[in-house]
Amino acid sequence: MIGLISATAAGASARDRLATAWPGRTRVYDGPVREAVERAFAECDQLVCFLATGATVRLLAPLLADKSTDPGVVCVDEAGRYAVSLLGGHGGGANSLATEVGSTLSATPVITTATDATGIPGLDTLGLPFEGAVATVTRAMLDGAPVTLRADTVWPLPPLPPNVTAGGAGGVPAARPHVQGPTGPTDHAPQGVPTPSTPAGTVRPGAALLVSDRVVPLGPADVVLRPPSLVVGVGASRGVGVDEVYGLVVDVLRDAGLSALSVGELATVDAKADEPGIVGAAAELGVPVRTYPADVLASVDVPNPSDAPLAAVGTPSVAEAAALAAAGRGGELLVPKRKSSPLGRPAMATCAVVRRAPRGRLAVVGLGPGARDLVTPRAVAELRRASVLVGLDQYVDQIRDLLRPGTRVIESGLGREEERARTAVAEARAGHAVALIGSGDAGVYAMASPALAEAADDIEVVGVPGVTAALAAAAILGAPLGHDHVSISLSDLHTPWEVIERRVRAAAEADIVVTFYNPRSRGRDWQLPKALALLAEHRRGTTPVGVVRNASRPDGTSHLTTLARIDPTTVDMMTVVTVGNTATREIAGRMVTPRGYRWQSEGAR
């Protein structure tokens, strides 16, 4: 919950705007300001104070306890000009809250934490649990001092500055001897990424950043990030206690030298989904419970099947089978089934531990039609998260300033879409966080289709929608897509013209508004006139047609014409052409397709 506090009428006005914009997320604290701040500080995860920064500091000072538990605080001036991240920028989420408040109130976010100011990712903002000297290692990263990066396996981290370099081999044996690359096991790791032969936990002089799910020795200038790489499978008798399940899991992890902070989930059979002991143990660990039908678990090959669970729930294995099922392809059984050992009575719980194979992350990002303000915040976040960016060279140039320092860029020219898709998937399979960019929406005549045709379930894939050219052009023209509409590409480089023509005829006969992508190039100058002629067989020559070039860009142009008067020679590959249906009209210089035909018929009477 976000507590909102103000002291004046001007502050209350901005406060109420925020409360209205974020229903369910905020709580207004009235009354004397000091008391309001004290109550909100104790009850809320974050605060937004519509007060002077000096006054807010004095009110907060007696309340501060620990940066890991204090709420994040944002201070907004009464004129609503600035949203200042005042307290808990990272741990309390005040930096991101200041950005949100600024966006909602049209205020400028003020963020002064060093990592955000320099574009270096804060180690405490990566979404991974951590242990050790995070402030010391972060300071070394900022100062350009040498920081050694060591990891059991490649993990999809954001780009790190050049002074963070992969360490050499030696010391504690690596937990995994190989990384599964795009064509098989490999010891190679691209620039800035640790090799699996570089084990976490090797103590060396200077700062060190470790990535490991194992319990490792930490020096005074070491920090370890805990990836969610472990799955704990749990089987239990009805009525088992939380303490027995939780105690078993903790003991098993400790004996195996594994960190509980790297447990991503507990897994079990569907019949135990509501077992209080399992649910409670997951709550103690702070992880979800994933369940599987008994027949699914029965099909998993395990080393220690048993007749007891087969008779009880219909599968010869629960703990091992559930952990292996949840881990997915390449999961490694680290700890076989082990029973609890309560004093004076039979065991009621079993567990097994599986390590997931490393999974890279591929974000397919739509950049919109070209204008910077139409690049979505989610797209920007993914660009800054990626350690590898793959894209068309001209699109890379559009967003290069949004990338963090250290991002590895792989760019190529027109006509190499399939190659870019294969490259992006291969980089993700190597364990990296990858962003594959395209214009408009990545799923509309762009990179999502070839990328997903290459990708299997061994990588995480995230789609980031963007404003596609048809929508950007429609907003400029008026409301041409107010009723049913279709987009058709006129490029016959990959689709036979016979197929394209059949689709144009179908749209014409069905009286659907059509937006043509890739309408005309120097080598393809007859397809657009042919498509327009097909539409003209079913629509009047006065049907409105919108022609928009470089929609949303500074050099963009648009004009409204008709099906009979459009000049195809004014159209190129940077243009989209929208042809109305029989209900589309020009109204006050705008192209409008009625949302419902009843409205049109009533207006005609």
Side-chain angles (χ1 to χ4, degrees), residues 66-117:
D66 187 277
K67 66 181 296 182
S68 64
T69 57
D70 290 338
V73 179
V74 170
C75 192
V76 180
D77 65 291
E78 294 188 1
R81 298 170 300 170
Y82 304 104
V84 182
S85 175
L86 191 65
L87 179 71
H90 287 168
N95 288 352
S96 57
L97 179 60
T99 302
E100 272 197 282
V101 170
S103 176
T104 303
L105 299 181
S106 299
T108 300
V110 179
I111 298 171
T112 59
T113 44
T115 50
D116 296 271

Side-chain angles (χ1 to χ4, degrees), residues 9-35:
S13 176
R15 176 202 68 192
D16 293 344
R17 287 170 55 201
L18 201 61
T20 301
W22 296 350
R25 294 182 61 191
T26 60
R27 180 185 301 160
V28 173
Y29 284 80
D30 292 316
V33 173
R34 181 176 298 278
E35 295 177 10

Side-chain angles (χ1 to χ4, degrees), residues 407-458:
T407 305
R408 185 157 55 93
V409 176
I410 303 173
E411 53 190 305
S412 56
L414 287 168
R416 301 174 67 179
E417 287 75 20
E418 285 78 10
E419 177 186 327
R420 285 194 291 276
R422 288 192 296 269
T423 297
V425 171
E427 291 288 343
R429 284 191 176 130
H432 305 304
V434 182
L436 175 63
I437 59 172
S439 66
D441 182 278
V444 181
Y445 303 122
M447 294 304 300
S449 179
L452 269 60
E454 294 283 338
D457 61 359
D458 55 345

Side-chain angles (χ1 to χ4, degrees), residues 44-80:
C44 295
D45 301 311
Q46 297 173 319
L47 278 67
V48 179
C49 298
F50 295 86
L51 307 165
T53 53
T56 306
V57 167
R58 293 183 184 278
L59 291 169
L60 292 174
L63 308 176
L64 302 182
D66 187 277
K67 66 181 296 182
S68 64
T69 57
D70 290 338
V73 179
V74 170
C75 192
V76 180
D77 65 291
E78 294 188 1

Side-chain angles (χ1 to χ4, degrees), residues 12 34 133 157 191 200 203 265 278 288 306 313 455 459 470 542 554 566 602:
R34 181 176 298 278
L157 297 176
Q191 180 181 3
V203 179
E265 59 190 341
I278 295 176
S306 172
V313 293
I459 62 173
T542 56
I566 180 175
E602 289 174 351

Side-chain angles (χ1 to χ4, degrees), residues 549-560:
R549 186 178 189 279
N550 283 337
S552 85
R553 301 184 185 187
D555 60 344
T557 61
S558 68
H559 68 275
L560 196 58

Side-chain angles (χ1 to χ4, degrees), residues 52 61 131 155 228 249-250 288 307 411 480 511 571:
E131 297 175 276
W155 194 260
V249 172
V250 169
D307 292 335
E411 53 190 305
D511 195 28
V571 174

